[in-house]
Amino acid sequence: MRKLYIYITVLFLGVITACNQQEEALTESNLNTQTPNLNTTDLWLRENFTNPFNIDVNYQWDEGRVDLNRYLFPPTLNKVVPVMEVVKKVWIDTYTELGGEDFVKNIAPREMVLVGGINLNASGTRTLGFAEGGKNIVLFETDLVDVKSKSGVVEFIRTIQHEYTHILNQQIRYDEEAFKQITPGGYTAQWFNPANEQERFDIANSLGFITDYARLNENEDFAEMVETMLTNNATEYQELIDNIKSRIISNAVSNALDNLGSSASQAEKDAATQAATVTATPQADNAIALIKAKEAIVAEYFKKSFNIDLYELQKLATDNILEAIK
């Protein structure tokens, strides 16, 4: 017991001694706390994205943000503002007008990363962008966007509409089970086969998918429905649907004629055409019905989850595409 008292006394004296020692003076920090120099691009991004929406737009090279196994590079400086003007007009302004001033402020990626070049995959497909955990969106091919071309802007803006849909889905889930059961047997990790893009689209459309990539899984299917509708106005979207039906029928007729051989008479060709049309028409109608069933779930999701009419959103987004390219 006496030894214990001695140990406690020594410890107590040590603590007092340590407390009485004069603390060493703090030296200057090794961290650079100076405000970085901002160019006109940085100031514009702060004014239009960071300050109002708390979205940091990163266009400078950071090798930790990209796949080092790909040949990627930062965007050309003079491309950044024109591209982000399109993003703001078509995406942010559209959702803000219909969803309210705080819509994008509350639901948005907190960072957008811009990459200049093409992100080419081993399968021969291109990755145009992706969202990570609902916190950031990476956009590729920034240098290749012609901001005065409707087709160029549409291809680029499809990416942001697609990835933002994933972020919305992470905030409020859609009815995944009901959506998945519309075309349950059509999903495949090999969506990029065959190599011919038109052939891939024909297969996907005939199975009830709006695009070839939609076949990857139900989440991509849902996002592809949204991006397609928000980059095609009502007339263009209906033409797209009508074209799917006509191609299913024309492909069936083409296959029937190929099976006849070159020696077939005109009467035989006419009969084969008629039979193929009769057989393929209900198949085409069914494919369209499947796509429209998915559209109905998407529309219901936007209305119930965010009180946004999908068709009003479609009109405003596509109108803003035309405004952006002026």
Side-chain angles (χ1 to χ4, degrees):
M1 180 66 72
R2 188 167 180 276
K3 288 183 180 181
L4 179 60
Y5 289 148
I6 293 174
Y7 292 153
I8 292 175
T9 302
V10 171
L11 178 61
F12 179 71
L13 291 174
V15 170
I16 294 177
T17 303
C19 291
N20 288 333
Q21 289 178 348
Q22 187 174 1
E23 294 183 357
E24 295 182 5
L26 295 176
T27 59
E28 293 185 4
S29 173
N30 291 326
L31 299 176
N32 184 1
T33 59
Q34 294 181 346
T35 302
N37 294 325
L38 301 178
N39 58 35
T40 55
T41 296
D42 297 325
L43 293 173
W44 187 90
L45 292 172
R46 282 198 175 190
E47 180 180 353
N48 290 276
F49 284 85
T50 307
N51 292 339
F53 301 105
N54 193 26
I55 300 173
D56 181 31
V57 181
N58 184 359
Y59 64 90
Q60 297 179 343
W61 186 246
D62 181 354
E63 63 182 16
R65 308 307 304 276
V66 296
D67 187 346
L68 296 181
N69 293 320
R70 310 291 177 94
Y71 180 68
L72 300 171
F73 48 85
T76 305
L77 183 60
N78 62 9
K79 285 282 192 176
V80 174
V81 170
V83 164
M84 294 310 295
E85 284 178 331
V86 170
V87 170
K88 184 177 184 302
K89 183 65 179 177
V90 181
W91 166 46
I92 291 183
D93 290 357
T94 297
Y95 275 97
T96 297
E97 182 170 335
L98 289 184
E101 183 180 350
D102 293 332
F103 191 91
V104 177
K105 293 180 182 179
N106 293 332
I107 308 175
R110 292 308 156 207
E111 180 187 42
M112 299 184 72
V113 178
L114 305 182
V115 179
I118 297 174
N119 189 5
L120 188 64
N121 301 309
S123 62
T125 59
R126 295 146 52 211
T127 297
L128 299 177
F130 58 82
E132 294 182 313
K135 296 180 180 179
N136 73 341
I137 291 179
V138 181
L139 298 173
F140 299 95
E141 303 189 17
T142 303
D143 279 359
L144 305 180
V145 182
D146 181 354
V147 296
K148 295 303 178 183
S149 162
K150 181 183 177 182
S151 60
V153 166
V154 165
E155 182 174 22
F156 182 74
I157 211 66
R158 284 174 67 94
T159 304
I160 188 69
Q161 299 290 25
H162 180 108
E163 300 304 336
Y164 190 55
T165 301
H166 287 316
I167 291 174
L168 293 176
N169 292 162
Q170 289 171 349
Q171 291 292 318
I172 302 177
R173 305 301 302 179
Y174 64 97
D175 191 341
E176 297 175 36
E177 192 59 32
F179 191 89
K180 181 169 59 177
Q181 289 308 312
I182 296 173
T183 51
Y187 296 110
T188 174
Q190 299 297 312
W191 65 270
F192 47 82
N193 287 323
N196 182 276
E197 184 178 18
Q198 186 58 63
E199 191 176 350
R200 288 202 309 268
F201 259 83
D202 287 344
I203 293 171
N205 293 159
S206 68
L207 294 173
F209 294 88
I210 199 70
T211 68
D212 53 353
Y213 184 58
R215 296 187 65 198
L216 179 59
N217 56 53
E218 66 273 15
N219 294 325
E220 301 305 332
D221 194 4
F222 189 97
E224 288 287 286
M225 285 296 305
V226 175
E227 75 164 63
T228 300
M229 294 193 67
L230 298 190
T231 52
N232 292 274
N233 63 34
T235 300
E236 293 166 340
Y237 180 71
Q238 186 58 50
E239 289 174 352
L240 186 153
I241 295 296
D242 292 342
N243 185 58
I244 289 174
K245 179 175 180 177
S246 65
R247 282 196 62 82
I248 292 174
I249 295 172
S250 65
N251 285 340
V253 169
S254 179
N255 290 334
L257 293 177
D258 288 343
N259 291 334
L260 284 179
S262 57
S263 61
S265 66
Q266 187 59 48
E268 290 174 323
K269 291 179 181 179
D270 291 343
T273 298
Q274 179 65 22
T277 300
V278 170
T279 301
T281 297
Q283 296 173 351
D285 288 337
N286 181 64
I288 300 305
L290 295 174
I291 292 173
K292 298 299 284 185
K294 294 176 182 180
E295 178 187 324
I297 291 180
V298 172
E300 181 182 32
Y301 168 77
F302 272 89
K303 191 63 178 177
K304 285 188 175 180
S305 301
F306 306 108
N307 196 30
I308 290 177
D309 186 301
L310 177 64
Y311 303 99
E312 290 183 14
L313 190 68
Q314 178 186 38
K315 183 180 187 309
L316 185 56
T318 52
D319 285 348
N320 281 344
I321 289 174
L322 298 180
E323 288 293 321
I325 64 177
K326 286 183 177 180

